DNA sequence: AACGTGACTTATT
DNA sequence: GAATAAGCCACGT
């Protein structure tokens, strides 16, 4: 068991993201067993983004492409998602209601509580 | 070992 | 509703 086991889990989860869908850091973290490690998930991607991970399918909870900065080319990430059929709203956020996908299974994610929705 | 950083999230003001 | 604070985990120095 490597200390980077968390990275391996993130890798596996991100690699499982279907084309044309996106997920959130929190969902990945939760799937990895650590719900509150959303930051670490993004950090992990930064360490393995060169391993061929579709990190462009990973967005923050609002659907904003926060990782586009580290992705390399800011425009590239958006183009990739659009190329897969993902659409964005005026706020540059992915339409989560349609493209949000959960790594584990379509089980509960919001705990049934109403989201803040900024 | 301790402090600081970070592609986040939630709660409080 | 928007802005600010704190919490969270793992890694780097």
């Amino acid at each position: 068991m490597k200390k980077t086991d968390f990275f391996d889990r993130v890798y596996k989860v991100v690699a499982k993201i279907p084309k044309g869908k996106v997920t959130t850091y929190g969902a990945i973290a939760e799937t990895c067993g650590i719900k509150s490690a959303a930051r670490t998930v993004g950090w992990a991607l930064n360490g393995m983004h060169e391993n061929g991970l579709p990190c462009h399918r990973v967005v923050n909870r609002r659907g904003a492409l926060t990782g586009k900065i580290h992705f390399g080319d800011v425009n590239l990430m958006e183009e990739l998602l659009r190329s897969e059929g993902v659409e964005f709203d005026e706020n540059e956020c992915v339409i989560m209601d349609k493209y949000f996908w959960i790594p584990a299974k379509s089980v509960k994610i919001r705990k049934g509580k109403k989201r803040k929705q900024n």
Side-chain angles (χ1 to χ4, degrees):
Chain A
M1 202 63 102
K2 306 179 300 188
K3 52 180 76 170
T4 57
D5 184 44
F6 182 82
F7 285 52
D8 186 39
R9 291 183 187 177
V10 174
Y11 179 91
K12 208 163 31 174
V13 174
V14 174
K16 281 157 68 175
I17 302 174
K19 181 173 129 193
K21 293 277 182 176
V22 295
T23 189
T24 68
Y25 299 95
I28 295 171
E30 185 177 12
T31 303
C32 292
I34 309 169
K35 179 181 174 233
S36 312
R39 303 185 84 155
T40 313
V41 173
W43 191 90
L45 264 61
N46 185 23
M48 67 169 85
H49 73 83
E50 295 179 350
N51 285 264
L53 281 155
C55 12
H56 58 273
R57 292 181 190 148
V58 183
V59 298
N60 69 352
R61 203 181 143 331
R62 282 173 38 194
L65 307 181
T66 49
K68 64 181 192 260
I69 302 165
H70 287 282
F71 192 81
D73 292 329
V74 180
N75 296 332
L76 180 62
M77 192 171 182
E78 183 179 337
E79 288 298 315
L80 286 170
L81 289 172
R82 287 175 182 262
S83 184
E84 294 182 353
V86 179
E87 296 178 282
F88 297 82
D89 62 7
E90 294 179 354
N91 289 323
E92 298 179 347
C93 295
V94 176
I95 302 173
M96 305 301 280
D97 294 338
K98 291 185 172 194
Y99 304 104
F100 180 62
W101 175 82
I102 300 171
K105 358 178 149 58
S106 304
V107 239
K108 52 122 208 240
I109 176 77
R110 291 296 161 232
K111 304 171 193 156
K113 289 175 88 165
K114 173 181 192 198
R115 20 197 149 56
K116 191 155 149 255
Q117 177 136 308
N118 189 358

